[in-house]
Amino acid sequence: MTDKTLVILISGRGSNMEALLDARLPARVAAVVSNNSQARGLGVAQARGIATAVVDHRAFPERAAFDAALAQEIDRHRPDLVVLAGFMRILTAPFIERYRGRLLNIHPSLLPAFPGLDTHRRALAAGVQTHGCTVHFVTPAVDGGPIVVQAAVPVLPGDTEERLAARVLAEEHRIYPQAVRWFLEGKLKLEDGRVAIDESCRHPETVVSPPGRP
Ligand code: GRF
């Protein structure tokens, strides 16, 4: 058993959440919290016996009030780490400050390229040959926090947004549990606004999609 505790925030499908639950991390997932009562991932979490909660952003007049309610829900569980897994709300600076150094996000592009939404469509439109995903600590700069790990995938001839998204998602499911594990094992920290990571985490195959994986 472990004394570490995670809270996972989702807004929808929850496949990254599932990858985290499947990864047998050295932590207890105390709760999955969503801003969207219809999020598919809530049912998946419940089916695994994990506590869920909904803090509906539409019930709050402004972001600050929503973030305060969300923080209250999270803090009930005293998590060591809060994991954004497809959580589609922009968070206010006080919220981010409260969880400084213990708030991770996954973004479906090789940041700093393509912050924001519709990353796969924009990558195809830009004609990039390499795309991918990024795990980063969250700071007030949207999708701009210090980078922990990235995985790259090729953009292949004839790719559609869906095919490219699926190729990237497979890598998300690989690197996000890896990054969370490093954090839980004390190998990954945010120090003075920079990522401090144990040398043992720097295997090339954790950074780049292995060759032969289309
Ligand atoms: C993922 O592509 C993630 O990178 C992005 O939103 C998507 C969420 O997918 N932030 P899921 O809910 O984890 O399946």
Side-chain angles (χ1 to χ4, degrees):
M1 269 311 277
T2 168
D3 54 354
K4 293 271 170 38
T5 298
L6 297 181
V7 168
I8 303 177
L9 305 190
I10 64 169
S11 293
R13 180 176 56 184
S15 71
N16 277 289
M17 173 205 77
E18 270 189 275
L20 291 162
L21 298 179
D22 286 341
R24 298 173 167 273
L25 295 167
R28 188 174 70 87
V29 178
V32 170
V33 182
S34 182
N35 63 305
N36 169 18
S37 63
Q38 302 306 308
R40 172 189 166 274
L42 288 173
V44 175
Q46 284 158 6
R48 292 174 178 236
I50 294 167
T52 61
V54 174
V55 183
D56 186 341
H57 61 278
R58 291 168 303 187
F60 297 88
E62 51 189 29
R63 279 187 200 280
F66 167 69
D67 282 6
L70 185 62
Q72 201 173 26
E73 184 57 42
I74 292 169
D75 289 351
R76 290 177 48 213
H77 305 285
R78 302 179 182 276
D80 297 281
L81 179 65
V82 179
V83 184
L84 305 181
F87 187 71
M88 303 304 284
R89 302 296 302 169
I90 291 178
L91 295 161
T92 56
F95 181 97
I96 291 168
E97 188 54 37
R98 182 183 195 95
Y99 301 104
R100 189 217 294 240
R102 52 190 184 110
L103 186 59
L104 286 176
N105 184 42
I106 187 144
H107 182 76
S109 78
L110 290 174
L111 290 170
F114 310 120
L117 299 174
D118 298 325
T119 56
H120 309 306
R121 185 168 57 70
R122 288 158 60 210
L124 287 173
V128 297
Q129 297 185 352
T130 305
H131 187 41
C133 50
T134 303
V135 177
H136 65 94
F137 281 102
V138 178
T139 64
V142 176
D143 298 328
I147 291 172
V148 173
V149 61
Q150 297 183 302
V153 303
V155 179
L156 298 176
D159 261 354
T160 58
E161 209 177 319
E162 291 70 30
R163 285 188 49 172
L164 184 56
R167 193 175 306 125
V168 171
L169 193 64
E171 296 304 308
E172 295 185 38
H173 294 165
R174 192 170 64 83
I175 66 169
Y176 211 9
Q178 179 64 263
V180 171
R181 186 182 300 280
W182 289 334
F183 184 93
L184 294 168
E185 290 176 345
K187 295 176 178 168
L188 166 67
K189 301 190 187 54
L190 190 67
E191 261 175 19
D192 300 328
R194 288 173 169 269
V195 168
I197 195 162
D198 197 282
E199 268 310 305
S200 65
C201 307
R202 292 290 186 199
H203 299 302
E205 63 270 26
T206 62
V207 179
V208 175
S209 173
R213 194 193 293 210

